[in-house]
Amino acid sequence: MTDHAQAAHEQVERLRALREKYAQERDRRIRPDGATQYRSTLGEYGYYAKDPYTPRSDREPLRDRIEALVIGAGFGGLLTGAGLRDAGIGSIRLMDEAGDVGGTWYWNRYPGIHCDIESYVYMPLLEETGYIPSRRYAPGEEIRQHAVRIAEHYDLYRDFVGHTRATGLAWDEDAAEWIVETDRGDVFRARYMITSSGTLTQPKLPGIPGIERFAGHTFHTSRWDYAYTGGDADGDLTKLADKRVAVVGTGATGLQVIPHLAEHARELLVFQRTPSTVDVRDNRPTDPEWAETLAPGWQRERMDNFLEVLAGEPVESLVDDGWTSTHELQRSILSGSVDGSLSEEDRLLREELDDAVKMDALRARIDEIVDDPSTADALKPWYRYMCKRPGFSDLYLQAFNRPNVTLVDTADTHGITALTETSIVVGEAEYEVDCLIFATGFDVGVSGVVSGTLPVSGRGGRALLEAWGMGPRTLHGFTTHGFPNLFQLGPMQNANSVNFVHILQEQALHITTVIARAQQVGARRIEPTAEAEDAWCRTVVATSRDVSDFQAQCTPGYYNGEGSRTIGGLTYSPGPVAFHRLLREWREGDMAELLVIDDADERVRESAEIGVSA
């Protein structure tokens, strides 16, 4: 056997053994109840989602008319509001269930919280608001304050409505307006309706038997109780000095919270079902000399470059970090271009080999840092790199070298077995604790519109979910036939990337440009033709990359519905760079398939609909 053949044989054997190991670790964690293992905080456990930051104040129900309502005041809603303001829309109402703007950064104020995307590309509208982040990866409070800065800069507090949840949207055909109802007794009207209700705001809880019986103190990380722990987002949790604390969850939140809990709690128990990858974070203060060199347009250039690198475009990276160094591995699940010089089989083999090298390095880092061999083994991730969102920390692994920290691996029991009044039960073992903290994440990607908790009825009273009976139907992911002047932001039938704020910024630009054009030409309403909607749905299906095989091999997580389903078929797989280019070119046209100008145009549309339905 030649040296080349021997090397190839060894590679194949290495991958075979690794696949077997990955399958074993996946099967240890798969539960028959899949994603239903979690309990929503919308119902019985709603107190876990209560706003602890802003007092709820009484107000009179709204009965007015506005030009535009934006549901959701996170970065998506703020960017849309800013674009509408720039487009000359005077009457803009932002509405949110939170007491202030910021979205996920309003809710998440736990100790150690930072962004995991470089601040200079993550925090939007830096040049427009004249701000430079203090650190490469800014802390959460700084990001929240930047959201406030955007709202103030664009005068979006003028008609902001907090602690308010929309409960119904109905199109009034005669008035060409949306009738909006809320949980505060509001019934008002809006010409344009934009939903940006986010993906990381509604906390979820594990469905642990006995959770309602636990008598100790408990809260979700997105509603951190500093009155109990002491300190603030920088740490100093001094009130935990005599407490036995348990934290459930070792995802991105756990990686940031656990080092602070470890430093201050008398005893810390970390309950882990699946370990995260933990790469180097290397956070540092912003260099003021570097900031002085930034020329106008620097943020747009840097944001575009980051997106292009991750999408596989042939550009030199301006952002040298953990994301850009692994961009080829990320396209196993995210959209982007692929190496066309290789056959599909060879490309997949090369990706798997590169993946194995990266994961080996991450597992080796654990051995280098964690002193106890059994703890180090339990912390090792055995899955492909993009089976879970990659994690970064220079403090997390080190926390397990503290004598007061114990890792409790729950893989073989499929999570925590039960809760008693005083203890956490895993199999036959029982752990008595004073405080239980859930770092168990959110109902990812489930907006009120998609879940049905926000009913939407369009022309003829037809329900949106009825129109989507066979799956979402949109033009470019934003508008739907039969639902005029209704726009949605989010990762549906368009393109995504790890820097979701950049995606939201492009979506807000598209929506506000369309509305500005409608205002300019005097369009009666904005609604795609059935033909245009059909064409886009066919495009999405034709271009979508099937990642179901990859996801089926993954350990359970929110990427694959806890192992019970796979996601795919609903994104524009050529990637965000290609998608944004497509949108720019489309906006240069007359938007004829979207703008209803006059009655003659309406009759043409109705004829076209008859033809399509026939």
Side-chain angles (χ1 to χ4, degrees):
M1 183 180 294
T2 65
D3 290 345
H4 179 74
Q6 178 65 28
H9 175 72
E10 291 175 355
Q11 285 182 337
V12 170
E13 288 300 303
R14 164 65 175 146
L15 289 182
R16 182 188 62 77
L18 202 55
R19 289 167 187 160
E20 290 181 359
K21 175 67 173 176
Y22 287 175
Q24 291 169 2
E25 294 295 322
R26 175 201 62 204
D27 293 345
R28 288 176 64 201
R29 295 169 171 85
I30 287 182
R31 295 169 48 128
D33 50 358
T36 62
Q37 67 189 268
Y38 294 102
R39 302 185 183 187
S40 173
T41 54
L42 287 174
E44 179 183 359
Y45 299 95
Y47 55 89
Y48 277 97
K50 184 178 178 181
D51 187 345
Y53 310 119
T54 305
R56 181 185 171 108
S57 58
D58 293 332
R59 63 171 177 80
E60 291 297 316
L62 299 169
R63 297 286 188 269
D64 56 353
R65 280 182 170 81
I66 55 175
E67 286 189 83
L69 173 66
V70 182
I71 298 178
F75 278 131
L78 290 168
L79 288 163
T80 304
L84 290 171
R85 191 69 81 206
D86 284 342
I89 304 296
S91 177
I92 304 167
R93 174 169 293 154
L94 261 65
M95 187 168 72
D96 203 288
E97 295 181 45
D100 200 352
V101 303
T104 188
W105 299 102
Y106 175 86
W107 293 115
N108 290 275
R109 307 190 193 189
Y110 55 78
I113 182 172
H114 288 68
C115 55
D116 65 357
I117 303 291
E118 188 187 75
S119 305
Y120 320 123
V121 301
Y122 179 80
M123 296 170 66
L125 304 179
L126 291 176
E127 289 188 80
E128 290 82 351
T129 58
Y131 186 72
I132 297 292
S134 66
R135 302 183 66 81
R136 190 181 190 195
Y137 302 99
E141 179 60 14
E142 182 176 349
I143 300 172
R144 188 186 73 82
Q145 289 291 346
H146 184 60
V148 172
R149 181 179 298 108
I150 292 172
E152 291 175 341
H153 182 83
Y154 288 94
D155 193 21
L156 298 176
Y157 278 122
R158 184 196 309 172
D159 202 3
F160 172 74
V161 180
H163 289 149
T164 303
R165 178 172 58 87
T167 57
L169 306 176
W171 176 252
D172 183 333
E173 186 71 29
D174 293 333
E177 295 174 333
W178 284 96
I179 302 172
V180 183
E181 298 184 8
T182 79
D183 62 351
R184 302 291 293 269
D186 304 313
V187 182
F188 61 88
R189 291 169 175 268
R191 183 178 182 188
Y192 301 111
M193 176 66 53
I194 303 100
T195 65
S196 180
S197 49
T199 61
L200 296 175
T201 57
Q202 191 64 45
K204 65 182 181 183
L205 303 173
I208 304 171
I211 189 173
E212 67 283 347
R213 290 189 296 147
F214 181 69
H217 198 77
T218 182
F219 55 87
H220 191 277
T221 51
S222 66
R223 310 294 190 269
W224 194 272
D225 189 352
Y226 284 108
Y228 181 86
T229 67
D232 54 29
D234 293 326
D236 199 27
L237 312 179
T238 55
K239 290 186 178 182
L240 298 180
D242 61 344
K243 300 294 192 297
R244 295 163 298 182
V245 179
V247 60
V248 180
T250 54
T253 298
L255 264 59
Q256 298 176 92
V257 165
I258 286 166
H260 292 281
L261 294 172
E263 181 180 356
H264 294 285
R266 186 187 93 191
E267 181 182 356
L268 177 64
L269 297 168
V270 178
F271 290 84
Q272 168 194 274
R273 183 185 66 169
T274 306
S276 291
T277 57
V278 188
D279 212 339
V280 175
R281 173 75 296 165
D282 192 26
N283 200 1
R284 57 181 180 268
T286 296
D287 181 356
E289 293 184 3
W290 170 78
E292 287 293 329
T293 68
L294 298 174
W298 69 269
Q299 189 184 28
R300 168 57 67 179
E301 179 185 13
R302 198 172 185 89
M303 290 174 67
D304 287 345
N305 177 264
F306 184 73
L307 198 66
E308 289 163 356
V309 170
L310 298 192
E313 298 291 316
V315 296
E316 183 177 349
S317 178
L318 299 176
V319 181
D320 182 17
D321 68 353
W323 295 106
T324 58
S325 66
T326 59
H327 64 90
E328 292 185 350
L329 304 182
Q330 295 170 43
R331 284 193 296 282
S332 56
I333 188 170
L334 297 174
S335 301
S337 62
V338 297
D339 189 347
S341 66
L342 298 174
S343 67
E344 180 74 0
E345 181 179 1
D346 288 344
R347 180 180 64 79
L348 292 174
L349 178 61
R350 190 190 71 178
E351 287 180 356
E352 191 174 6
L353 289 168
D354 290 344
D355 194 295
V357 170
K358 179 62 180 179
M359 293 301 292
D360 282 345
L362 292 172
R363 290 186 284 264
R365 182 174 185 244
I366 297 170
D367 286 327
E368 293 170 1
I369 294 174
V370 179
D371 295 336
D372 178 60
S374 62
T375 302
D377 284 343
L379 287 167
K380 290 177 182 175
W382 292 99
Y383 46 78
R384 292 281 295 273
Y385 185 68
M386 284 302 293
C387 282
K388 294 173 68 70
R389 186 176 175 98
F392 305 89
S393 176
D394 299 327
L395 303 171
Y396 176 73
L397 296 174
Q398 291 82 347
F400 292 95
N401 292 332
R402 290 179 173 270
N404 64 322
V405 178
T406 301
L407 178 68
V408 182
D409 188 80
T410 68
D412 290 323
T413 56
H414 303 295
I416 294 171
T417 306
L419 288 176
T420 70
E421 289 187 354
T422 60
S423 302
I424 300 173
V425 181
V426 178
E428 299 299 319
E430 192 166 328
Y431 305 87
E432 190 170 335
V433 297
D434 301 304
C435 176
L436 173 56
I437 302 171
F438 291 108
T440 46
F442 307 87
D443 290 328
V444 177
V446 182
S447 69
V449 171
V450 174
S451 68
T453 59
L454 174 53
V456 179
S457 58
R459 286 197 292 124
R462 190 182 191 193
L464 180 62
L465 292 188
E466 177 189 340
W468 287 359
M470 299 298 291
R473 298 185 59 78
T474 71
L475 174 60
H476 300 142
F478 306 115
T479 56
T480 293
H481 178 68
F483 298 84
N485 295 4
L486 174 67
F487 302 85
Q488 298 179 78
L489 285 84
M492 180 177 63
Q493 290 197 336
N494 47 49
N496 203 353
S497 185
V498 297
N499 185 10
F500 191 52
V501 172
H502 188 175
I503 299 299
L504 291 174
Q505 186 162 336
E506 293 291 340
Q507 293 184 2
L509 171 65
H510 182 75
I511 290 170
T512 56
T513 302
V514 168
I515 291 176
R517 179 76 66 83
Q519 295 277 93
Q520 178 185 1
V521 301
R524 292 183 61 243
R525 68 173 189 260
I526 302 169
E527 178 189 352
T529 64
E531 184 179 23
E533 183 182 89
D534 286 341
W536 182 249
C537 290
R538 289 194 299 269
T539 297
V540 170
V541 171
T543 62
S544 183
R545 185 183 307 151
D546 185 1
V547 297
S548 58
D549 287 344
F550 175 87
Q551 291 178 327
Q553 299 167 33
C554 286
T555 188
Y558 73 81
Y559 275 4
N560 65 0
E562 298 297 337
S564 63
R565 62 173 173 80
T566 58
I567 55 177
L570 295 178
T571 60
Y572 183 73
S573 288
V577 174
F579 180 63
H580 297 159
R581 185 183 304 120
L582 180 152
L583 291 182
R584 285 195 301 272
E585 293 173 354
W586 181 88
R587 291 196 298 265
E588 291 174 357
D590 58 12
M591 304 187 188
E593 63 265 68
L594 190 60
L595 302 183
V596 180
I597 305 298
D598 54 30
D599 291 338
D601 186 30
E602 175 69 5
R603 286 191 293 272
V604 170
R605 281 172 172 264
E606 290 175 351
S607 299
E609 289 170 27
I610 294 171
V612 170
S613 62

